[in-house]
Amino acid sequence: MLREHEIEIRVRYQETDGQGRVHHANYFTYFEQGRTELLRAAGYSYREIEIQGWMLVVHEVTCKYHQPAVYDDLLRLCTKVVLARGARVVNEYQVFRDQTLIAEGRSVVACISREGRVVRLPDALLSDLGAEVE
Amino acid sequence: MLREHEIEIRVRYQETDGQGRVHHANYFTYFEQGRTELLRAAGYSYREIEIQGWMLVVHEVTCKYHQPAVYDDLLRLCTKVVLARGARVVNEYQVFRDQTLIAEGRSVVACISREGRVVRLPDALLSDLGAEVE
Amino acid sequence: MLREHEIEIRVRYQETDGQGRVHHANYFTYFEQGRTELLRAAGYSYREIEIQGWMLVVHEVTCKYHQPAVYDDLLRLCTKVVLARGARVVNEYQVFRDQTLIAEGRSVVACISREGRVVRLPDALLSDLGAEVE
Amino acid sequence: MLREHEIEIRVRYQETDGQGRVHHANYFTYFEQGRTELLRAAGYSYREIEIQGWMLVVHEVTCKYHQPAVYDDLLRLCTKVVLARGARVVNEYQVFRDQTLIAEGRSVVACISREGRVVRLPDALLSDLGAEVE
């Protein structure tokens, strides 16, 4: 059971904008990377999950920005699973540079089939993400 | 006084992802474009505002995704000012394809000086965005 | 027969980088938009072409940067077809701000089937892009 | 003297497009990351270089695409310095997935001062990148 995972992200030049800061939209790309790596650390490949016919689509995201991050910063992204039930996974994120909290976010993803129907996530996955299988 | 503005956005191929949908982070780029064009319609240039020393930084964003948008969709983005007071502007957004609501979001931007201090927006701008000047 | 087409592109904040300039990779996104709109002006929808089973994949691109473009610049992109034969289309691009040449590029795209085989473009399209049908 | 450097890049979902492949423009972002890491491996920080008043701007880029890369691929990017002289650095790039060549590119960057004048790169840097100091 894995409910929390941490990765490092080095800020690319392309991710900054004319204010010299990481453009705010890029944090959602970081969060997505956090979800991928949390799954990998739990023994899953999101690529495999998609190939097998489940697709996780983002239903809702939010982010608060506390401090700017700049080019070449080495950020630490902490990704948590706060809920994994039925067809839904809720994650929370915190981005740090050293001990400074840069940003924090939250996302809700929903599992759909290739035909676009909302479907329950595989039980093993729900269980490994720490959810009670109901 | 202008509190609402609408633009059209044609989805670029680069904005889609492997699910064949507009990647969720790109809506924040659309919203930013909506803010720029609302300001322009109100007689302002955000570029001018930055040159004169005010910088609007994003403090918080959120987006809910209702329907996927795909490559070449012609989207309609409606941007509203729901609050413009002191150093803060709060916007709300709705993205439509024809009559279908695709996504809706909200952002809080804060005004800072070149030195990074939070500063009050110019009175004329606050007034033209429909806020009461206090 | 249409071999040349022009569109306007307003630079988005997200497209700039920490140097305050349009990040060089974004010109390829502009070029792609130029190809889409040239096809549309010729009576085609690239989305339709993909749905019908042809896929245009980029084989080679190049770009030279002459002057920086900045946020909110209104750029003019001129897209030309310099060759459309068999499975290949070669385009050239020029980006202007007023009379100033900002960048110029070239791309080679190849047509493949859903199975990934290189296939001849539809004759009508080759013909409408100004190529001799051989 | 360091003229060659290799990094690994894990393909992010956001970097793919509706064709399920890495969008071609993203390779230039990878190449930029390659340049940053080659400099770091040579004992330099490009961020420091910019802070001290030198700015490396991209003058020309090109890329050929041999095989598609997809989400979650672990790519290997090899960055070479083929010339570092005066105000110019020429790099070449190869992107591999295992032994398969995915793409190869080339870039010319020029060094300018804060005022936008073309200026000679610092001698130590030219020397460490393997160029003869003339």
Side-chain angles (χ1 to χ4, degrees):
Chain A
M1 183 175 114
L2 185 96
R3 305 195 67 162
E4 197 165 336
H5 187 62
E6 206 171 288
I7 60 169
E8 285 191 335
I9 294 175
R10 175 74 73 172
V11 173
R12 298 171 177 174
Y13 210 101
Q14 183 271 335
E15 294 165 358
T16 60
D17 64 18
Q19 296 185 340
R21 299 154 171 242
V22 172
H23 188 267
H24 61 280
N26 290 324
Y27 288 89
F28 297 102
T29 296
Y30 295 166
F31 295 167
E32 188 171 54
Q33 196 177 346
R35 291 195 296 279
T36 288
E37 296 305 330
L38 183 147
L39 279 176
R40 195 187 324 278
Y44 291 86
S45 148
Y46 177 61
R47 180 159 70 175
E48 256 330 293
I49 292 173
E50 274 211 354
I51 289 168
Q52 285 165 28
W54 284 274
M55 197 156 82
L56 294 172
V57 295
V58 175
H59 178 60
E60 187 178 342
V61 293
T62 184
C63 189
K64 282 188 193 177
Y65 306 92
H66 298 292
Q67 293 291 331
V70 301
Y71 163 64
D72 214 41
D73 274 353
L74 189 58
L75 303 176
R76 206 157 32 86
L77 168 64
C78 177
T79 304
K80 285 182 198 174
V81 181
V82 296
L83 180 81
R85 191 184 301 163
R88 263 200 329 164
V89 182
V90 181
N91 291 103
E92 285 179 3
Y93 313 89
Q94 288 187 301
V95 181
F96 295 92
R97 183 187 48 231
D98 303 322
Q99 302 313 314
T100 306
L101 180 63
I102 300 295
E104 51 190 335
R106 186 177 178 277
S107 68
V108 181
V109 300
C111 187
I112 63 173
S113 66
R114 272 192 200 120
E115 298 71 35
R117 268 181 315 107
V118 174
V119 293
R120 185 181 172 78
L121 281 155
D123 280 350
L125 179 57
L126 286 174
S127 168
D128 285 340
L129 292 180
E132 300 158 36
V133 179
E134 287 157 5
Chain B
M1 182 175 114
L2 184 97
R3 305 193 70 163
E4 197 166 336
H5 186 62
E6 207 171 287
I7 60 169
E8 285 190 336
I9 294 175
R10 175 75 72 172
V11 173
R12 297 172 177 173
Y13 210 100
Q14 183 271 335
E15 293 165 359
T16 60
D17 64 20
Q19 295 184 341
R21 300 157 169 239
V22 172
H23 188 268
H24 62 281
N26 290 324
Y27 288 89
F28 297 103
T29 296
Y30 296 166
F31 296 167
E32 189 172 53
Q33 195 177 348
R35 291 196 297 280
T36 289
E37 296 304 330
L38 183 148
L39 278 177
R40 194 186 326 278
Y44 291 85
S45 149
Y46 177 62
R47 178 158 73 175
E48 257 329 294
I49 291 172
E50 273 210 354
I51 290 169
Q52 285 165 26
W54 284 274
M55 200 155 81
L56 295 172
V57 295
V58 175
H59 178 59
E60 187 179 341
V61 293
T62 185
C63 189
K64 281 188 194 176
Y65 306 92
H66 299 292
Q67 294 291 331
V70 299
Y71 164 63
D72 214 42
D73 274 353
L74 189 58
L75 303 175
R76 206 156 34 85
L77 167 64
C78 177
T79 304
K80 286 182 197 175
V81 181
V82 296
L83 181 80
R85 191 184 299 164
R88 264 201 328 165
V89 182
V90 181
N91 290 105
E92 285 179 3
Y93 312 89
Q94 288 187 303
V95 180
F96 296 93
R97 183 186 48 230
D98 302 324
Q99 300 314 310
T100 306
L101 180 64
I102 300 295
E104 50 190 335
R106 186 176 177 277
S107 68
V108 181
V109 300
C111 187
I112 62 172
S113 66
R114 272 191 202 122
E115 296 74 34
R117 270 181 313 110
V118 174
V119 292
R120 185 181 171 79
L121 280 155
D123 281 350
L125 179 56
L126 286 174
S127 168
D128 285 341
L129 292 181
E132 300 159 36
V133 181
E134 286 159 4
Chain C
M1 182 177 113
L2 185 97
R3 306 194 68 161
E4 196 166 336
H5 187 62
E6 207 172 288
I7 60 170
E8 285 191 334
I9 294 175
R10 175 74 72 173
V11 173
R12 298 171 176 175
Y13 210 99
Q14 183 270 336
E15 293 164 359
T16 60
D17 65 19
Q19 295 185 342
R21 299 156 170 240
V22 172
H23 187 269
H24 61 281
N26 290 323
Y27 288 89
F28 297 103
T29 296
Y30 297 166
F31 296 167
E32 189 172 52
Q33 196 178 347
R35 290 196 296 280
T36 289
E37 296 304 330
L38 184 147
L39 279 177
R40 194 185 328 277
Y44 291 86
S45 148
Y46 177 62
R47 178 159 71 175
E48 256 329 293
I49 291 172
E50 273 210 356
I51 290 169
Q52 286 166 24
W54 284 274
M55 199 156 80
L56 294 172
V57 295
V58 175
H59 178 59
E60 186 179 342
V61 293
T62 185
C63 188
K64 283 189 192 174
Y65 306 92
H66 299 292
Q67 294 290 331
V70 300
Y71 163 63
D72 213 41
D73 274 353
L74 189 58
L75 303 176
R76 207 155 32 84
L77 168 64
C78 177
T79 304
K80 285 182 198 174
V81 180
V82 296
L83 181 80
R85 192 185 301 163
R88 263 199 332 163
V89 182
V90 181
N91 290 104
E92 286 179 1
Y93 312 89
Q94 289 187 302
V95 180
F96 295 93
R97 183 184 51 229
D98 302 323
Q99 301 314 311
T100 306
L101 180 63
I102 299 297
E104 50 190 335
R106 186 175 177 278
S107 68
V108 181
V109 301
C111 188
I112 62 171
S113 67
R114 269 189 203 124
E115 296 74 34
R117 269 181 313 110
V118 174
V119 293
R120 185 182 172 79
L121 281 155
D123 281 349
L125 179 56
L126 286 174
S127 167
D128 285 340
L129 291 181
E132 298 158 38
V133 180
E134 287 159 4
Chain D
M1 183 175 112
L2 185 97
R3 305 193 68 163
E4 198 165 335
H5 186 63
E6 207 171 288
I7 60 171
E8 285 191 333
I9 294 174
R10 175 74 74 173
V11 173
R12 299 171 176 174
Y13 211 100
Q14 182 270 336
E15 294 165 358
T16 60
D17 65 18
Q19 295 184 342
R21 299 155 171 240
V22 172
H23 188 268
H24 62 280
N26 290 324
Y27 288 88
F28 297 102
T29 296
Y30 296 166
F31 296 166
E32 189 171 53
Q33 196 178 346
R35 290 195 298 279
T36 288
E37 296 305 330
L38 183 146
L39 279 176
R40 194 185 328 276
Y44 291 86
S45 149
Y46 178 61
R47 178 158 72 175
E48 257 329 293
I49 292 173
E50 274 211 354
I51 290 168
Q52 285 166 26
W54 283 274
M55 199 155 83
L56 293 172
V57 295
V58 175
H59 178 59
E60 189 179 341
V61 293
T62 183
C63 189
K64 281 187 194 178
Y65 307 92
H66 298 292
Q67 293 290 332
V70 301
Y71 164 64
D72 214 42
D73 274 353
L74 189 58
L75 303 177
R76 207 156 32 85
L77 168 64
C78 178
T79 304
K80 286 182 196 173
V81 181
V82 295
L83 180 81
R85 191 184 300 162
R88 264 201 328 166
V89 182
V90 181
N91 291 104
E92 285 180 1
Y93 313 90
Q94 289 187 302
V95 180
F96 295 93
R97 183 187 49 229
D98 303 322
Q99 302 314 311
T100 306
L101 180 63
I102 301 296
E104 51 190 335
R106 187 176 177 277
S107 67
V108 180
V109 301
C111 186
I112 63 172
S113 66
R114 272 191 201 121
E115 297 73 34
R117 268 181 314 108
V118 174
V119 292
R120 184 181 172 79
L121 281 154
D123 280 350
L125 178 57
L126 286 174
S127 167
D128 284 341
L129 292 180
E132 301 159 35
V133 180
E134 289 157 3

